[in-house]
Amino acid sequence: MINIKSCLLFIPLLLAGTSFRPQNTQVWNNKKCAVVLTYDDAIDVDLDNVVPALDSMKLKGTFYIIGSSPVVNKRMGEWRRAAKHGHELGNHSLFHPCDGSLPGRSFVGPDNDLSKYSVARTVDEIRATNSLLKAIDGKDVRTFAYPCGDRKIGDVFFYEQLRNDFAGARGVTPGLQTIDKVDLDNVDCYAINGQTADYMIALVKKAMETHTLLVFLFHGVGGGHNLNVSLKEHSQLLHFIKQNEKDIWVAPMVDVAVRIREYQVANHLKRN
């Protein structure tokens, strides 16, 4: 004999299970997870090594541009072509100021010491970089990446004055997060410096398993920076992502940030 009471108790569990599965599989553009490939500082290897590698596999990345970088001035046409091919030119400030008052910051010169900046100067320089980038790619929507991961001047979070200028901002704290937990003021990422392809691929697999956002932060790829990953390891990562593209949404940070914002607004989630 069927126990009606037991059936009624089971229905909410059944409905909860059916609503949970679509949430996991649909929030990331109908894929299991989202992976964002970001490259900092506007250096020659971005154009020499990274853009050709991404283009060869029809993958899109985000290049966080320092406005004053000579590589921007000398190779502007190539940056413009990269943007036309679907890569994001993100904002990494005009002069890459970092907080020189923090431990281990002897590399910070007095002219680029964020601790000596005013908030107004910081905001103005970042907005000036947006104007430069718009002159290159013609776009109004992009994301920001904190130089050295520094978010404050004194006790002030300077990005609070820039929220309306960007779709989101990438930080430097490692982590994998579901779409409802992402803080668009400080998106988590994994900084890569000498790690193997196995390590990076394991992160991608974990993101697939947990239906989360995974952001990679690269500097040098095959040289060009003291923070570096080899061409071989980087290539193996790209090949793995491409081979599993049916389960991985690979997109520039701006596209993913816009999707996260839409989801969080639709679900009335407050930004941190």
Side-chain angles (χ1 to χ4, degrees):
M1 180 182 230
I2 296 175
N3 188 321
I4 299 298
K5 185 177 180 181
S6 297
C7 289
L8 291 174
L9 290 172
F10 178 72
I11 287 173
L13 295 175
L14 179 63
L15 292 175
T18 55
S19 63
F20 179 77
R21 284 192 295 272
Q23 182 186 43
N24 282 338
T25 58
Q26 292 181 3
V27 295
W28 300 121
N29 202 27
N30 295 315
K31 306 293 179 73
K32 291 182 178 179
C33 68
V35 173
V36 180
L37 303 164
T38 71
Y39 304 84
D40 283 15
D41 294 356
I43 56 181
D44 283 313
V45 296
D46 290 339
L47 297 169
D48 295 337
N49 297 341
V50 180
V51 170
L54 293 175
D55 286 349
S56 70
M57 297 188 200
K58 298 182 179 179
L59 299 175
K60 309 304 178 187
T62 293
F63 295 87
Y64 283 114
I65 306 295
I66 300 172
S68 62
S69 167
V71 180
V72 175
N73 182 43
K74 293 177 182 178
R75 306 182 69 172
M76 192 170 291
E78 292 171 83
W79 290 114
R80 185 169 287 121
R81 283 194 294 275
K84 287 182 178 179
H85 288 168
H87 304 294
E88 178 190 3
L89 304 186
N91 189 321
H92 205 31
S93 78
L94 191 59
F95 298 111
H96 199 281
C98 296
D99 189 340
S101 69
L102 297 176
R105 293 292 180 83
S106 59
F107 63 89
V108 179
D111 293 336
N112 295 323
D113 187 342
L114 185 66
S115 68
K116 294 180 171 57
Y117 268 46
S118 67
V119 173
R121 177 185 174 186
T122 304
V123 170
D124 286 347
E125 288 185 1
I126 292 169
R127 285 180 173 155
T129 304
N130 263 1
S131 297
L132 169 64
L133 295 175
K134 183 176 180 179
I136 297 173
D137 64 18
K139 297 179 181 179
D140 290 305
V141 183
R142 68 185 82 250
T143 58
F144 175 72
Y146 298 97
C148 297
D150 296 337
R151 302 174 60 205
K152 296 168 66 176
I153 299 174
D155 294 326
V156 178
F157 288 96
F158 62 83
Y159 185 76
E160 289 182 354
Q161 297 189 28
L162 292 162
R163 279 178 173 164
N164 294 331
D165 296 70
F166 296 100
R170 195 213 66 202
V172 297
T173 303
L176 299 171
Q177 292 185 311
T178 53
I179 195 168
D180 57 313
K181 299 297 184 183
V182 176
D183 178 5
L184 285 171
D185 288 356
N186 186 29
V187 179
D188 289 347
C189 73
Y190 285 84
I192 302 301
N193 181 25
Q195 287 92 334
T196 65
D198 287 343
Y199 168 84
M200 294 184 284
I201 290 169
L203 288 175
V204 178
K205 290 179 178 178
K206 186 65 175 179
M208 293 165 66
E209 293 170 4
T210 55
H211 306 285
T212 49
L213 169 65
L214 168 60
V215 181
F216 284 107
L217 189 176
F218 298 101
H219 289 84
V221 177
H225 201 284
N226 62 332
L227 303 175
N228 184 60
V229 65
S230 76
L231 284 172
K232 178 184 176 183
E233 306 300 321
H234 181 260
S235 178
Q236 289 179 9
L237 170 67
L238 297 189
H239 277 86
F240 177 83
I241 291 172
K242 187 65 179 180
Q243 290 163 5
N244 292 275
E245 205 169 18
K246 65 180 177 59
D247 293 322
I248 303 169
W249 182 32
V250 188
M253 190 76 253
V254 64
D255 294 349
V256 175
V258 168
R259 172 64 188 122
I260 293 168
R261 178 82 61 89
E262 290 173 348
Y263 178 91
Q264 293 184 352
V265 169
N267 288 275
H268 308 291
L269 299 172
K270 292 183 179 180
R271 298 180 69 185
N272 293 333

